[in-house]
Every structure is written in structure tokens, then in C-alpha cells.
Amino acid sequence: MKKKILLKKIAIKRINLVFLFFFLLMSVLVSCTDGDTIEQEVVTTKSIGLRTTLNKIKGDHGIDGRVATSCFDFVYPLNLSYNNSTVVLVNSEAGLLSLLENEHNSLYIDGISFPFQIISTGDGTTMTVSNEADFQNIVEACDFPTFNDYITDGTCYNFIYPFSVKNHNNQTVTITSNTMLNDMIVTNNGNFILDMVYPFSVAKNGQNIPVEDAYQFFEINDDCVVACNCDPIDAPVCVQTTTGILQFQNECIANCAGFYTADFVNCN
């Protein structure tokens, strides 16, 4: 009798182990889906290159009402992080688009784990992106819209001075006037804007709006194009101002900034 009871206990333990194995297996499978939180330690880096790229992807896929073209595709999976430091796994473009569609001012993606790979949509070349400097070079080579482009192409707000920016030498520069801002971008010399120093404020429609992060600033700039109902086509027009020649992406955007045909000059 004791032997039978012992065998019965062993059988029950085996059954429990089998259930435990399947439970753990299912947990692993579920944890590999898009957008799941990663429990193990994964190092991510806050990246304006990433935020610029994600803003461009939103345009490519009509998120926020914008239309544009792409330059490269990510090689998945990717480890991305939110502004609250939560790290998530993204296995596909569909998964990334789903995350982007659900972003908002309080929760948005701002970091990525280096290195990662991309594939050129032109010739199919695979490249490894090792750090933020690599990422910035790729973003600029692809001519993705940056803060410099938004400022020179025309804005629907005014900066409240002074505020500070970071240039590509990772130096912080305090901007005290519109003239200084335009000179910094037009003169270039490697000192053009990489990112803003947050927070700062802009004036729009008679209100002062605090800008807390890159996500919010991209949204404000994208709204300028949408509010003017301008297509983001490349047909540059230029205007002579007291601070130099400003180039706008197209006539519609120039009109939105308050300039018209009589104000246009030769861009060359």
C-alpha cells in the first residue's frame, strides 16, 4: 500500500512538472511579441536621431496626416525605450507602427539600444549603426526633416528668447535673438542645431507654450504644415530678410510664414 501511495505521489509531481514546463514555454513565447516589456537589463540611449526617424516614419505611413518617402528600413528585432525608461521589444514594422500610433505627450519612444542594423531602400545594402553619431550621419544623408529645416522652412510660432540649443559638437549655445538663430543655421560651419535644450517656450496664437521635450517640439512643427494645409513637396523658394536669405520647402509654406511671390528672390 505504501509503495502504491509513493508511486502516486511521484506521478502527481511529474504531471505538475509537465504543466510548469508548458507554462514557462508559453511565457517565453508571449514575451517575444511586439511591444512587450523587457525584464532583463538592456542598455538604451536617448536619441534625437531616433526621434527624427520616427517622426519621418509617421509621415511615411500617414500617421498625423502627413505623407512622405522613406530612405531605409530597420532590421528587426529592436530594443526601444519610452520616456519613462520602460524598454520594449519590437519584432516588426507593423509592431513599430502600432506603438507610434499610440504615442502621446506623456508616453513616447525616445531611446534605442545600439548597435542595430538598417537596410537601404535604394540598393538593399545592410548597414550597422553603432552609435548616435552614426545615426545622425544617416539621418542627414537621408535628408529627413530636422529642427533646422523646420525653422528655415517657416514656422507658425515665435521663439521666446533666450533659449539654448545643442550643436553637433555637443556644445550648448545660448540663442538670444532671431538673427542669431538664423545665422547659426545659415552659416552652418558644423554648428547647426542637433537638438534643443528643454524646456523652452514658443508663442503661438497669443499664448506662450512650454516645450518640454523633442516629441512635443516635433509635433508643434508638424502641426505648422498641417495647419497651413501644405503638402511637404520639395519646390524651394527663397526670401531675402535682414538676417540673410531664408529658404522654404515650397511656396505654400512660405505663404504660411507670411511671405508672398513679391518677396521671393533667386535661391542661388
Side-chain angles (χ1 to χ4, degrees):
M1 178 65 70
K2 290 182 179 180
K3 186 175 181 180
K4 288 183 178 180
I5 293 174
L6 180 60
L7 290 174
K8 186 175 181 180
K9 287 182 177 180
I10 291 173
I12 291 173
K13 286 183 178 180
R14 286 178 176 174
I15 291 172
N16 287 338
L17 287 172
V18 170
F19 277 113
L20 178 60
F21 170 77
F22 278 108
F23 175 77
L24 292 174
L25 178 62
M26 290 302 295
S27 296
V28 171
L29 291 174
V30 169
S31 67
C32 292
T33 59
D34 284 315
D36 276 351
T37 302
I38 298 175
E39 300 296 338
Q40 68 267 29
E41 185 175 348
V42 174
V43 177
T44 60
T45 302
K46 287 185 180 295
S47 169
I48 188 64
L50 173 67
R51 197 59 250 177
T52 303
T53 301
L54 296 182
N55 189 62
K56 185 66 164 57
I57 291 174
K58 283 188 171 186
D60 293 343
H61 294 273
I63 300 173
D64 291 347
R66 289 172 283 123
V67 180
T69 56
S70 186
C71 176
F72 64 80
D73 294 319
F74 287 114
V75 176
Y76 298 92
L78 292 173
N79 291 321
L80 303 178
S81 58
Y82 281 94
N83 58 307
N84 65 359
S85 299
T86 300
V87 180
V88 295
L89 178 69
V90 182
N91 281 311
S92 64
E93 181 184 52
L96 177 61
L97 293 177
S98 177
L99 297 183
L100 294 180
E101 287 171 350
N102 290 286
E103 284 187 315
H104 50 80
N105 284 342
S106 299
L107 189 64
Y108 54 87
I109 297 168
D110 71 351
I112 190 167
S113 180
F114 294 100
F116 60 90
Q117 290 187 315
I118 59 172
I119 299 177
S120 168
T121 54
D123 58 13
T125 302
T126 299
M127 298 175 58
T128 298
V129 184
S130 300
N131 50 48
E132 179 66 7
D134 283 354
F135 206 172
Q136 281 296 325
N137 289 335
I138 291 167
V139 165
E140 287 161 16
C142 288
D143 200 25
F144 288 176
T146 63
F147 294 150
N148 302 277
D149 298 318
Y150 284 122
I151 292 168
T152 56
D153 287 347
T155 63
C156 56
Y157 55 84
N158 294 311
F159 287 102
I160 297 175
Y161 299 97
F163 64 93
S164 296
V165 302
K166 288 184 179 179
N167 64 24
H168 277 236
N169 297 323
N170 205 31
Q171 297 169 323
T172 299
V173 181
T174 300
I175 307 295
T176 58
S177 67
N178 189 56
T179 300
M180 184 178 179
L181 177 63
N182 286 324
D183 284 347
M184 182 179 183
I185 297 173
V186 174
T187 305
N188 215 336
N189 293 329
N191 290 320
F192 51 99
I193 298 171
L194 172 63
D195 197 5
M196 315 296 286
V197 176
Y198 305 96
F200 63 94
S201 296
V202 298
K204 181 179 181 181
N205 298 330
Q207 294 183 324
N208 288 354
I209 304 172
V211 182
E212 302 291 341
D213 47 63
Y215 176 85
Q216 185 185 0
F217 194 37
F218 269 118
E219 292 292 298
I220 289 172
N221 281 289
D222 291 332
D223 285 345
C224 284
V225 177
V226 174
C228 292
N229 197 29
C230 295
D231 292 327
I233 58 175
D234 290 318
V237 296
C238 292
V239 174
Q240 178 71 56
T241 71
T242 57
T243 60
I245 293 179
L246 294 182
Q247 178 172 302
F248 296 87
Q249 187 176 358
N250 57 55
E251 183 175 352
C252 176
I253 296 174
N255 294 160
C256 186
F259 299 103
Y260 298 93
T261 304
D263 303 310
F264 298 160
V265 297
N266 193 320
C267 287
N268 296 325

